[in-house]
Amino acid sequence: MPKSLIYFSLTLLLLLTFNLVTQCSEVDDEFDELLALDDALERETEANGVKSSEAEVLTKAQRIVHELNNDNTERIVNGYDFVLVLGYAPWCSRSAELMPHFAEAANSLKEFGSSLVLAKVDADRYPKSASFLGIKGFPTLLLFVNGTSQPYSGGFTADDIVIWARKRTGTPVIRIGTEKEAEEFLKNYHTFLIGRFDKFEGPEYDEFVSAAKSDNETQFVEVSKVELARVLYPDIRPTDNFLGIVKSEPERYTAYDGAFTSDKIIEFLGYNKFPLVTKMTEMNSVRVYSSPIKHQVFVFANNDDFKNLLDPLQEVARTFKSKIMFIYVDIKNEDLAKPFLTMFGLEDSTNTVVAAFDKGMTSKFLLESKPTRSNIEEFCNNLVQGSLTTYFKSQPIPDNTEASVQVVVGKTFDDEILNSEKDVILEVFTPWCFNCEDTSKQVEKLAKHYKGSSNLIFSRIDASANEHPKLQVNDFPTLLLYKANDKANPIKLPTKASLKELAASINKHIKVKNEVAKDEL
């Protein structure tokens, strides 16, 4: 089966109303003006019922984030060691989704004392600036190091941006030296990898730091004193060197027991950084798809049904930890759920659906029984053992009693095509195919022409709604002749030929039996 393509779209949010007007050489001169703008914005947001904390995030960002234009872009990106630029368009919903996270990240980085400068550019309004920066789509994040751009490879929440930015600008690991620092760290980070070392030196420590630099998503923290480490990881093992991941979920602590090498530490993170059950959102979808775990089980359900299923699902997930990634998708979120459900022919479903994919999504599986704990566990066990039958979508079996052209679906492909003792001509079409209607009319006429044949059957299948492992067609329309004595090697017939040419081609490959008078073609 050809690899399925999954398309993602982000939720449409209201565009932010604030302008970021800071200029790198004019911050001090315009500070009073910025304060006045801050006050006006805060009064406006309060009048509109916006929480003061949201207003505070925006007003702080006004003082921090530079707004680029055609005149100042080159000066700013070349004037600092590190500049993180957001290219956006006012009409772009993805830009609107990312902007508040970018503003929150700017505030956090400022509080951390980061040397990173953040800037944004309206690429629609300033195309010259966007061209200089190399911005071609929206939104785009680019890191400029001494004027040279590097692609952004982190996540898209505020925390993701902060972690990625700090790692790329000289702080791959946060060192904790006091209990107060540890408590403050816990307030800011909910998922992190802790390393305890007697001394911050040596081969194992070097591999730890190397892994921290390689990873894009997880904050690394290091401590030396065991009692201090217990503030972050209460059940820490009394070993010389220790690694463990901490998450804010029921499976909170996971200790590392592998070799202290960078690649093994990164592998450990990949298999353990997600919750037992991850809720997919527009912001984390890229991270979910890039997980190294071979098998992924998706649960599509509305919020109420999922709440009832969560506890037993977590129990199952704990059994298959590191072997299966469990993902929840709100079935009412069409942008996220529908692309997957369409692959099963269930795009209109409102009931809970449990499905699975292997890595790369080249094979898909469907739980066709009730989604109980025991059924899901059995489904997962068979998935890991490789004993599940690959799912191929199919329309309901049709009634072909009066049809001159038999309708074939996924469930009947074996009986009607491969196991049939007759020669079969199969029209493969899709509803959205531009030329398929003309071919369908020709097939109808050919079926009428050969109506008296006892060994030739005409049929058609909608490839958008039906699948079969032996049907490998990517171009539509396609006409295939399955000879009775060689079903494994269908012959492709021309679709742009005249009726007489098609009939001649059919007669060339097979001998039509019991022919009767035919209509002229």
Side-chain angles (χ1 to χ4, degrees):
M1 183 179 66
K3 288 187 177 181
S4 301
L5 299 178
I6 305 297
Y7 298 95
F8 315 111
S9 58
L10 296 174
T11 304
L12 179 63
L13 296 178
L14 294 175
L15 289 173
L16 298 180
T17 57
F18 65 92
N19 287 320
L20 306 180
V21 297
T22 309
Q23 304 236 341
C24 67
S25 61
E26 302 170 335
V27 174
D28 293 335
D29 294 341
E30 296 185 1
F31 187 74
D32 291 338
E33 182 180 349
L34 284 175
L35 287 178
L37 288 172
D38 291 349
D39 292 339
L41 179 61
E42 188 164 3
R43 286 195 300 272
E44 179 182 349
T45 53
E46 288 177 350
N48 292 328
V50 180
K51 295 179 181 179
S52 59
S53 58
E54 294 176 355
E56 184 179 356
V57 169
L58 303 186
T59 54
K60 284 183 179 180
Q62 280 187 306
R63 303 172 191 156
I64 299 168
V65 180
H66 300 256
E67 182 165 328
L68 304 182
N69 54 48
N70 292 337
D71 298 324
N72 68 3
T73 295
E74 185 173 357
R75 170 167 54 85
I76 289 177
V77 298
N78 290 326
Y80 297 93
D81 292 338
F82 303 104
V83 183
L84 183 63
V85 176
L86 167 62
Y88 71 96
W91 46 262
C92 172
S93 61
R94 294 186 180 184
S95 297
E97 179 83 8
L98 182 57
M99 273 186 173
H101 296 277
F102 190 73
E104 186 179 345
N107 295 332
S108 296
L109 288 164
K110 183 70 173 179
E111 292 173 3
F112 285 133
S114 172
S115 62
L116 177 69
V117 172
L118 278 80
K120 73 181 185 76
V121 59
D122 181 342
D124 229 18
R125 185 178 180 184
Y126 301 109
K128 180 181 176 182
S129 179
S131 177
F132 173 80
L133 295 169
I135 294 171
K136 299 178 181 178
F138 314 117
T140 294
L141 281 171
L142 294 171
L143 175 66
F144 287 83
V145 180
N146 296 318
T148 301
S149 69
Q150 298 179 3
Y152 179 82
S153 56
F156 297 102
T157 67
D159 288 343
D160 292 334
I161 295 171
V162 169
I163 291 171
W164 188 90
R166 295 191 77 188
K167 287 190 175 191
R168 291 298 178 275
T169 56
T171 315
V173 183
I174 294 176
R175 181 174 296 178
I176 301 295
T178 67
E179 185 173 334
K180 182 179 180 180
E181 289 176 351
E183 291 171 349
E184 284 299 315
F185 179 87
L186 286 174
K187 292 179 183 178
N188 293 318
Y189 297 95
H190 305 294
T191 299
F192 55 89
L193 183 75
I194 178 176
R196 194 202 74 79
F197 301 90
D198 287 334
K199 296 181 179 180
F200 300 124
E201 60 184 32
E204 291 189 342
Y205 175 73
D206 291 341
E207 290 293 320
F208 171 74
V209 174
S210 177
K213 293 178 179 178
S214 299
D215 174 73
N216 292 322
E217 301 172 353
T218 306
Q219 182 59 60
F220 281 52
V221 59
E222 60 186 27
V223 296
S224 179
K225 298 178 181 178
V226 174
E227 60 272 19
L228 194 55
R230 287 200 177 99
V231 177
L232 303 176
Y233 197 109
D235 298 328
I236 190 169
R237 297 174 184 172
T239 56
D240 290 340
N241 295 335
F242 173 86
L243 290 180
I245 191 168
V246 178
K247 296 175 290 186
S248 57
E249 56 127 345
E251 199 77 6
R252 184 164 174 77
Y253 304 103
T254 304
Y256 177 67
D257 58 3
F260 274 65
T261 61
S262 177
D263 58 338
K264 290 297 182 182
I265 294 172
I266 293 295
E267 183 180 275
F268 168 74
L269 268 178
Y271 280 89
N272 292 279
K273 64 187 175 184
F274 288 101
L276 288 173
V277 180
T278 299
K279 180 178 180 179
M280 179 179 282
T281 66
E282 289 84 355
M283 303 304 290
N284 71 3
S285 59
V286 174
R287 294 176 61 198
V288 170
Y289 297 131
S290 63
S291 168
I293 299 177
K294 182 179 179 181
H295 297 116
Q296 297 184 333
V297 168
F298 283 73
V299 177
F300 303 90
N302 62 51
N303 286 326
D304 290 338
D305 290 341
F306 180 70
K307 287 178 182 177
N308 295 329
L309 188 59
L310 179 57
D311 287 343
L313 191 61
Q314 285 183 329
E315 293 176 11
V316 176
R318 191 173 287 109
T319 302
F320 294 95
K321 187 178 178 182
S322 300
K323 295 179 181 178
I324 299 176
M325 184 173 182
F326 290 80
I327 302 157
Y328 162 61
V329 183
D330 183 352
I331 201 167
K332 294 181 179 179
N333 187 330
E334 288 194 358
D335 288 339
L336 290 176
K338 195 167 185 176
F340 289 99
L341 294 174
T342 300
M343 297 172 67
F344 294 88
L346 299 172
E347 55 269 26
D348 297 323
S349 178
T350 57
N351 297 321
T352 299
V353 174
V354 178
F357 298 90
D358 68 0
K359 188 64 178 175
M361 296 188 177
T362 54
S363 296
K364 60 182 184 288
F365 312 92
L366 181 68
L367 176 64
E368 300 188 66
S369 57
K370 189 176 180 180
T372 62
R373 184 195 185 285
S374 59
N375 286 342
I376 293 175
E377 185 169 18
E378 181 182 7
F379 178 73
C380 292
N381 191 51
N382 291 334
L383 175 66
V384 170
Q385 293 180 357
S387 58
L388 280 182
T389 301
T390 302
Y391 181 84
F392 296 96
K393 63 182 177 180
S394 174
Q395 292 175 305
I397 296 175
D399 180 4
N400 286 315
T401 304
E402 302 296 330
S404 59
V405 178
Q406 304 290 298
V407 175
V408 177
V409 297
K411 294 177 180 178
T412 62
F413 190 88
D414 283 329
D415 291 338
E416 300 291 339
I417 306 295
L418 301 182
N419 299 332
S420 173
E421 296 180 353
K422 297 183 179 182
D423 301 307
V424 182
I425 290 178
L426 177 67
E427 171 199 349
V428 187
F429 74 98
T430 64
W432 43 261
C433 166
F434 183 75
N435 295 316
C436 285
E437 185 176 353
D438 291 338
T439 299
S440 292
K441 291 178 180 178
Q442 285 190 311
V443 170
E444 293 283 354
K445 292 178 181 178
L446 285 169
K448 185 177 181 181
H449 178 70
Y450 287 101
K451 187 175 181 179
S453 171
S454 63
N455 69 306
L456 179 59
I457 297 173
F458 286 83
S459 60
R460 61 167 54 107
I461 186 170
D462 179 354
S464 70
N466 299 279
E467 298 171 328
H468 191 277
K470 295 294 179 64
L471 183 63
Q472 302 290 334
V473 175
N474 295 311
D475 297 321
F476 308 104
T478 290
L479 284 178
L480 298 173
L481 169 58
Y482 289 83
K483 297 177 66 175
N485 60 355
D486 190 10
K487 293 297 178 73
N489 298 292
I491 299 168
K492 193 171 183 179
L493 301 177
T495 57
K496 295 182 179 181
S498 67
L499 283 172
K500 288 186 177 181
E501 289 171 334
L502 272 173
S505 181
I506 292 171
N507 293 334
K508 173 184 174 182
H509 292 293
I510 61 174
K511 184 177 180 181
V512 181
K513 300 177 182 178
N514 300 330
E515 296 184 44
V516 296
K518 312 178 186 69
D519 295 338
E520 291 295 327
L521 293 175

